[in-house]
Every structure is written in structure tokens, then in C-alpha cells.
Amino acid sequence: MDDANEGDRDGSTSAPLPFRAAVDALRAARLRPQIEVEPTPAPKRLAPFAYALEATVVDGDQDLADGRLVLLHDPDGHDAWRGTFRLVTLVRAELEPEMAADPLLPDVCWSWLTGALQARGLAYGEPSGTVTRASSHYFGGLAERPAASQIEIRASWTPREGLGGVPDTGAHLASWCDLLAQVAGLPPAGPGDASVVTLPQRRGPQSR
């Protein structure tokens, strides 16, 4: 793919107006300071146009969670999406082994995603995804390392389009950051979020 077409994919002036507006809203979103967000190369084969962000939840010099959010756009629409836009995400965080063993954890993590969208009054459709728990145990020369567990959420959903066929991507990004904060174990961002239950801080978060 030549440079001009590559530019079309990431919100340049030659991309469709609804896609450019959706990308501009992502770039203009104001997020809580513990979450560092920056653009990252987008996948090339999932849709005619794509824009991607990666984020890290930080506490001092430690990373508590990380993730990636991809905005896809097909001006002709997509049968599986039931719309012209799609948001795709990956969220990961380290867990205490005891927390990872909770049989209800996958259901709780999925409810965090849908709850974060609903808490901001966002309309969406066709949600799908997986919640995966993984554990690592070390042996031999690595035997001194404590066992490690990780939660991973992979999901996608169709944001409902507003005026001009443009979804409120800035609000969807904010809700995604709410999910990241919950997975990372951060306290609620404001008084209105006091009922939100977050994962407890993990032992030994990853140093940056």
C-alpha cells in the first residue's frame, strides 16, 4: 500500500468526512491523567479505514494495565457490524492469583465493559468478545519468581451513529478508559462513580 493510501486510513484529509470527524473526536478527548494514550499503527485488512490508540494505566513508574482501541470504518456498511463503524479493543492487566481463581471473574470483567458504556449513556449494538485468564508458574532458574496471573479482555461493538453518520467516539474512548481504570484497580474517578467495584491493586505491578 502506497503512502497516500496509508494516509487515507488514519484520518487524513482524503478520508471520508465521517471517519475524519470520528478520529478528530478521539484526538480531542480529555482523559484522566493516570491513563497515557497515544496513536499506534492501525491494522490494514479489517476495514477500508482504521485508526488505533494504545493506552497504559500508570502509577508513578509502574504500569498497572494496558490496552489498544481500534476504530474501523467501512462507508458501505458491514453486515456483521450493522453499521459503518466498529470499535475493537484489547485490555490486559496483572492479577493476584487468588483473584484470578474467582470463577465469576470473566462475567464481572465483561460487565465492566458494558457497564462503562451504559454509565455514559452510550448506545451501541452487536457486542462480542472474550475474557481470558492465564497463569504462569516458574521453574528451574526462574523458580524464585512468584506465580503470575493475567486477565485479558478482547471485545468489539458498533457505536451508534449520530448527526452526519458520526458516532460519539470521544465518549466511547472515555468509557474504554473507565474500563482500563477498573481493571487496573484505580479508585473511581468521581463521586458519581462511587458504586463501581474495581480490582484490588496487584502485587508487584510491572515497572516501566
Side-chain angles (χ1 to χ4, degrees), residues 5-115:
N5 288 337
E6 184 68 18
D8 289 350
R9 302 175 58 86
D10 62 7
S12 72
T13 55
S14 55
L17 181 59
F19 179 68
R20 283 158 37 203
V23 170
D24 287 344
L26 289 175
R27 291 169 172 164
R30 299 184 64 181
L31 308 170
R32 58 189 295 175
Q34 300 96 330
I35 300 178
E36 298 180 351
V37 179
E38 62 183 7
T40 190
K44 299 180 180 181
R45 296 180 176 86
L46 298 181
F49 302 93
Y51 182 79
L53 295 168
E54 60 183 9
T56 304
V57 182
V58 299
D59 179 18
D61 62 349
Q62 298 174 329
D63 293 350
L64 301 179
D66 62 79
R68 192 178 194 220
L69 184 69
V70 181
L71 174 69
L72 304 176
H73 179 53
D74 187 338
D76 296 328
H78 195 291
D79 290 341
W81 302 352
R82 296 181 181 265
T84 62
F85 284 90
R86 188 75 170 171
L87 286 163
V88 182
T89 186
L90 164 67
V91 171
R92 298 174 298 195
E94 297 295 325
L95 299 174
E96 289 283 359
E98 296 81 5
M99 176 64 69
D102 186 340
L104 296 179
L105 184 64
D107 299 275
V108 170
C109 288
W110 183 256
S111 73
W112 287 346
L113 169 64
T114 57

Side-chain angles (χ1 to χ4, degrees), residues 172-198:
H172 280 271
L173 174 58
S175 70
W176 179 69
C177 287
D178 292 340
L179 170 65
L180 269 174
Q182 284 182 269
V183 172
L186 293 183
D193 299 325
S195 63
V196 172
V197 178
T198 59

